[in-house]
Amino acid sequence: VIPGWFSEISSMWPGEAHSLKVEKILFQGKSEYQNVMVFQSSTYGKVLVLDGVIQLTERDECAYQEMITQLPLCSIPNPKKVLVIGGGDGGVLREIARHSSVEKIDICEIDKMVVDVSKQYFPDVAVGYEDPRVTLHIGDGVAFLKKVPEGTYDAVIVDSSDPIGPAQELFEKPFFQSVAKALRPGGVVCTQAESIWLHMDIIEDIVVNCRQIFKGSVNYAWTTVPTYPSGMIGFMLCSTEGPPVDFKHPVNPIDEKECQKSVRPLKFYNSEIHTAAFCLPSFAKRKIGPK
Ligand SMILES: NCCCN[C@H]1CC[C@H](N)CC1
């Protein structure tokens, strides 16, 4: 360990560790589920860390929160009811709120400390909680989905941490089945789907499971996030059987609606990068590309 530096050392990415220079540790706590830390970095603003893994930094969170939200919501006309599993920092809520068609936003986050810490240290991220359409449920997303009536949501966004720890079940088949049940015909789900540089085997399993469960379309997309391991993170975009969804061509472009009363302009997402996000390098296309 180098004094004054935070290194993201984990068995999930052996032999490598992204490091950030630390100015000051702002919060350290232990919730029922994980260790929670916030520090002021020298060049990425404040940083949220769960069990030693970087969840977001003020400087690059836009890339992740905007893409994980706008890729699904801009792929269907008039999303009305949206569910977020995880996402306790509130960033995805801020992005969903850009859509005036949305009438109801449910969020199910297992760890209340993440919500409280985000509201205290990341106000520009937690601003999403201020939207009157938001209902916060503190609990396990797996249990929450079991109680959701069939066909309730137009979109589900699974903003999870990694499959080691509280989020492990969110990468398994029964969970994907419960998401499919909760979606209307032609509804969409977008999940945090790890990096093709680090976790191709996990992604291949997810793709196999999703192809069996979601009879619409199943696509992997990705974005660059400098402070995530390997500098990128992927998303699984799936739609249920019903009105076809062409994820690669946004039918509900938010660029035009940007002038909308939004908390802030989009920093990362736009319709061109939406389409480009589904382009895969050859090694990945062979394994997880469209059949
Ligand atoms: N909204 C916070 C994003 C959480 N996403 C994950 C954090 C941990 C990373 N290794 C993978 C993405």
Side-chain angles (χ1 to χ4, degrees):
V1 178
I2 312 161
W5 286 75
F6 167 81
S7 295
E8 190 185 43
I9 295 166
S10 167
S11 59
M12 291 186 281
W13 30 90
E16 61 184 275
H18 187 255
S19 302
L20 290 173
K21 198 159 185 328
V22 179
E23 290 304 313
K24 185 168 185 279
I25 294 185
L26 302 173
F27 175 86
Q28 282 193 299
K30 187 165 178 49
S31 75
E32 271 179 82
Y33 300 95
Q34 53 207 337
N35 288 302
V36 180
M37 175 172 67
V38 178
F39 68 84
Q40 183 68 46
S41 70
S42 306
T43 53
Y44 276 81
K46 291 196 278 294
V47 183
L48 175 63
V49 179
L50 297 180
D51 280 347
V53 175
I54 293 173
Q55 301 296 307
L56 66 88
T57 81
E58 287 180 308
R59 179 170 160 192
D60 65 4
E61 58 91 4
C62 59
Y64 177 88
Q65 319 275 19
E66 291 182 21
M67 291 294 274
I68 198 172
T69 307
Q70 305 307 345
L71 286 175
L73 294 193
C74 293
S75 295
I76 55 174
N78 291 321
K80 290 187 176 56
K81 293 182 76 176
V82 184
L83 169 63
V84 182
I85 302 292
D89 51 69
V92 168
L93 301 176
R94 176 193 68 206
E95 295 305 315
I96 297 170
R98 295 178 192 277
H99 292 263
S100 57
S101 66
V102 170
E103 296 160 358
K104 179 146 184 45
I105 307 169
D106 285 320
I107 174 168
C108 185
E109 163 59 53
I110 199 162
D111 192 344
K112 189 172 178 315
M113 187 179 277
V114 172
V115 178
D116 297 341
V117 163
S118 185
K119 286 181 177 175
Q120 182 168 0
Y121 295 99
F122 299 91
D124 294 343
V125 179
V127 63
Y129 284 106
E130 293 167 19
D131 192 293
R133 296 168 284 182
V134 172
T135 306
L136 170 62
H137 309 262
I138 296 294
D140 179 346
V142 173
F144 181 87
L145 271 164
K146 284 181 180 147
K147 291 181 293 184
V148 169
E150 195 147 345
T152 299
Y153 295 103
D154 298 290
V156 175
I157 295 167
V158 187
D159 174 13
S160 72
S161 47
D162 298 298
I164 292 187
Q168 181 159 357
E169 284 183 288
L170 305 183
F171 290 81
E172 292 167 0
K173 193 167 182 176
F175 175 71
F176 290 123
Q177 285 167 328
S178 65
V179 169
K181 186 173 82 61
L183 283 170
R184 64 152 170 86
V188 295
V189 58
C190 182
T191 78
Q192 187 271 102
E194 302 296 354
S195 160
I196 52 176
W197 287 110
L198 300 172
H199 299 121
M200 188 57 90
D201 49 350
I202 294 178
I203 300 168
E204 282 185 89
D205 289 348
I206 293 172
V207 168
V208 166
N209 285 335
C210 287
R211 283 191 177 136
Q212 290 169 357
I213 294 164
F214 295 97
K215 293 303 177 194
S217 58
V218 173
N219 300 84
Y220 181 88
W222 61 279
T223 187
T224 74
V225 183
T227 56
Y228 282 168
S230 79
M232 61 92 67
I233 191 84
F235 308 105
M236 212 67 237
L237 279 293
C238 309
S239 60
T240 56
E241 193 160 21
V245 176
D246 174 3
F247 285 110
K248 299 181 185 179
H249 301 97
V251 295
N252 180 26
I254 196 158
D255 309 336
E256 289 72 53
K257 289 192 287 187
E258 214 179 287
C259 55
Q260 228 172 54
K261 186 190 68 55
S262 281
V263 284
R264 69 179 198 184
L266 288 159
K267 291 185 180 174
F268 191 94
Y269 176 88
N270 59 54
S271 295
E272 295 82 22
I273 211 156
H274 178 127
T275 302
F278 293 86
C279 300
L280 298 178
S282 298
F283 75 88
K285 212 171 158 182
R286 275 192 282 276
K287 297 205 159 191
I288 57 173
K291 278 294 154 242

